[in-house]
Amino acid sequence: MRQLLKGNHAVVRGAIAAGCKAYFGYPITPASEIAESASMLFPESGGVFIPAESEIGSIQMLFGAASAGVRAMTASSGPGISLMQEGISYMAGAELPGLIVNIMRAGPGLGNLGVEQGDYFQAVKGGGHGNYRTPVFAPNSVQEMCDLTMHAFDVADRYRNPVVVMADGALGQMMEPVEIPQTAPEEPDKPWAIRGDAATRKNLITSIFLEHHVQEALITKLEDKYREMEEKEVKWEEFQTEDFDIIIIAYGICSRIAREAVEMARAEGMRIGLLRPISLFPFPSKRIRQLAGKAYSILVFELSSGKMVEDVRLAVNGITPVELLRRTGGMMPTSEEIVTVLKTMERECVGNKA
Amino acid sequence: MWEIKHSKPATFYDRFERKSGDTEITHYCPGCGHGVLHKLVAEAIDDFGIQDRAILVGCVGCSIFMYYYMDVGNISSSHGRAPAVATGVKRARPEAIVFCYQGDGDLAAIGGNEILHAANRGEPITVFFVNNGIYGMTGGQMAPTTPLGQKTTTSPRGRTAQVEGPPIRMCELLSTLDGPAYIERVALTDAKHHMRARKAVRKALKNQMEGRGFSFIEVLSACPSNWKVSPKDAIQWVEKNMVPIFPLQVFRDEDKHGATPLCLRHGTSPERKIPAGPKIQESAVRGAIAGGELGEVSMKLAGFGGQGVLFSGLALAEAALREGLQVSWIPSYGPEMRGGTANCHVRISKSPIASPLINRPSSLMVFNQPSLEKFADQVLPGGLLLANSSMVTDIPDLPDIQIVRVPAYEAARDLGNVKAANMIMLGAYLEITRAVAQEAILAAFTDNGMRPNLLKANVAALEAGRRIVSGTRLQNPQLRL
């Protein structure tokens, strides 16, 4: 049965459906509804909710619950996510699963509450210290706020690595119909966890490895995991990519605006396609490279000073021109503005094809 | 009667692997208090039969390698965060006996906030706090507990109250909170004080087994290496320099059983209980969009905060859901958030909705003058402008736009319900567009638990709005967007 939910509420429904048992959080706009909803629903669903003293506390409580082998999560926005980077690094080093939801706002610093995607590098390149990555999933609808939250728990457990779901204030605040799944994949056994019983007494959760070769072995193991993710966990969506001259690459709320722009441009006879990365790490580089080979040019549309565009350029590796359309600070280009940019690009690039 | 025990507690590993070459001794310096305290804790765990249930959350400092000695579940946490980590563990596994073991730099400096709030929540965990007045592992820097006058590598002229502030007393600080059940400070000096420490350690663990609440034991302990005194003199150093600052006493001893968080008294439930969502009644009556008589709706609603603007839009969206339509609702975003208006965008369509954001609405419902001035020229040619003429008095000449004035406040006053202006506007909108059926809106209200008297008032307001614009028809029903 479809119900109308805010994106932030859909995150909590998805988490509970996935068997998440513990939520630790600190309020921050525009993510607070996640904690509010969790405080109501987790205790009713056999779980626990703690209003933590800070985001540092939140992520460390998550570390503890994950060590004890239960599915656990936290959510915040940029300033809070920055405070969590210490804990995320420790979780990656100790190979602990867990979910961190980032409802991005504009930055740096306190910034403002506007819609922005400026936390891209922090999320996809491993935002804390040391050699690690976190898988990052970027929903673009309220349904996906639920579905990708559920998926994130599976990926986190499969690889024993923290996972980020990264959305923005628009996706967090908007309402759309959602179907809450009533079943979810079984949670794997966690023989490595510490449950306070004889079977797990010998286990040790740590991220300190003083011997250099042991530390290097851990990093190699992490790198192997990230390589495997690049093989198996890449997710993206395409729209109108059967024939195109220009392809737009956009994620999150931008992909929705871009989709409208594609519809408008197609109505005017332009051949435009859209690729939406759903996993930002691992990034759909291979597919972008394939499409780039057939495109006259590529337009990256993002709400940052130009971050995902670097990953696109790495993927394209110079074979096709890559343009960037971006706004920051909470400003949002309209679909009409995207079409205007596409027209200019078409004149410049496609005009040259003859 | 007494006997000398030479045996190792079973909670210690047989071999200490930390120091290569010698598996009998720890990595601690001669005269350090950690070894003694480890043994007191290990013996208590043995005697209480809780080795399998025990989970140690270690800290950063000299005792970070405690997991080489303690044969219990071991979690190594980041600097200062052990009480937060332990909170996560205890809430996840209420049957486990969870204890933190932290030094003074770890607990009183970088971890000040985590210990304060774990204590205040009354987390039913046990914290052992080793205070030697100095950062040991990093080589003798000043700690928050360093006595005044003491020279360290970061207070080379001696600590002064004027520059570094006086030493911090954690037991006294935590005693100001209602949360903790048990707080005591002991010292590892002579035999008598060792026995007092032993008793405190046992009580602190026993409290957790019996669910009595948060227990905190501060242990004054020697650091001969960094104090640069002999192990023997270090004991006197504790007595002379630390005990006067940090008095040995019981600060709190209460049974806080009743204050234990509910989830810890009842435990978490392993099965998945997915909360039932609201009951959604499919509407039997279809409005103009579902009936195919009207193109899709892309609408902005704007007014002051408190005028019920967002609620009107939401009612429309909920109704569309019940008619089986695609729908999106989004409150003000970006630069639109400024300038005295609260607004939302509503899209309703039979096909999937690309963007929930609307730059050029096909209809605009404005509740106040600033909203009109802000959004009027965005309305698509052929679109509809519905204005609350009680507040929107100055409407410019807008060719190609169908303008409908609704004196919503006057009408609401007539109903004796000034809060109903938003429903009057919505009623007028429904009458003109028939976009969704009124029955679908009422179904949404009922599903969301609206009280009968409020429901009745809203129905009256919707119908009053309909009457005001009765006979007005949409001039351009097939408008896209």
Side-chain angles (χ1 to χ4, degrees), chain A residues 48-50, chain B residues 87-94 121 123 261 263-264 268:
Chain A
V48 297
F49 170 86
I50 300 182
Chain B
T87 296
V89 177
K90 184 70 181 178
R91 298 280 181 132
R93 302 286 172 199
R121 284 191 301 269
E123 288 297 336
C263 61
L264 293 177
T268 54

Side-chain angles (χ1 to χ4, degrees), chain A residues 68 175 201 205 256 260 336, chain B residues 71 76 93 329 347 354 359:
Chain A
M175 296 180 94
R201 192 183 85 209
I205 304 285
R256 299 287 296 269
E260 187 173 84
E336 284 87 351
Chain B
D71 182 5
S76 151
R93 302 286 172 199
W329 173 94
R347 270 197 207 274
N359 324 309

Side-chain angles (χ1 to χ4, degrees), chain B residues 385-405:
Chain B
L385 168 66
L386 196 64
N388 168 17
S389 56
S390 309
M391 292 193 75
V392 183
T393 49
D394 185 13
I395 301 178
D397 188 26
L398 296 164
D400 306 330
I401 308 292
Q402 181 182 1
I403 300 173
V404 179
R405 292 172 172 80

Side-chain angles (χ1 to χ4, degrees), chain A residues 20-24 38-39 41-51 65 70-73, chain B residues 87-88 90-94 261-264 267-269:
Chain A
C20 180
K21 288 292 171 200
Y23 185 101
F24 311 105
S39 72
L41 297 178
F42 268 65
E44 289 175 6
S45 313
V48 297
F49 170 86
I50 300 182
V70 308
R71 283 188 166 175
M73 71 176 293
Chain B
T87 296
K90 184 70 181 178
R91 298 280 181 132
R93 302 286 172 199
L262 280 177
C263 61
L264 293 177
T268 54
S269 142

Side-chain angles (χ1 to χ4, degrees), chain B residues 301-356:
Chain B
L301 301 92
F304 288 127
Q307 284 183 307
V309 176
L310 301 189
F311 185 77
S312 290
L314 197 52
L316 204 56
E318 288 273 12
L321 174 83
R322 283 161 180 78
E323 293 195 11
L325 293 163
Q326 300 296 326
V327 56
S328 67
W329 173 94
I330 186 168
S332 0
Y333 71 98
E336 287 196 359
M337 294 197 308
R338 287 168 215 299
T341 72
N343 72 74
C344 61
H345 303 193
V346 178
R347 270 197 207 274
I348 307 175
S349 177
K350 285 205 285 284
S351 42
I353 291 167
S355 173

Side-chain angles (χ1 to χ4, degrees), chain A residues 2-3 21 46 53 60 68 86 90 174-175 177 184 194 196-197 201-202 205-206 210 256 260 334 336, chain B residues 52 65 71-72 74 76 78 81 84 93 121 269 271-273 278 314 325 327 329 347 353-354 359:
Chain A
R2 295 192 315 162
Q3 53 184 300
K21 288 292 171 200
E53 59 270 19
Q60 297 298 342
E86 173 199 56
Y90 276 73
M174 71 194 227
M175 296 180 94
I194 298 178
D197 58 21
R201 192 183 85 209
K202 300 284 180 193
I205 304 285
T206 188
L210 283 189
R256 299 287 296 269
E260 187 173 84
T334 63
E336 284 87 351
Chain B
D52 290 339
F65 296 118
D71 182 5
V72 296
N74 275 291
S76 151
S78 57
R81 318 296 181 215
R93 302 286 172 199
R121 284 191 301 269
S269 142
E271 81 267 31
R272 294 180 190 185
K273 287 189 229 159
L314 197 52
L325 293 163
V327 56
W329 173 94
R347 270 197 207 274
I353 291 167
N359 324 309

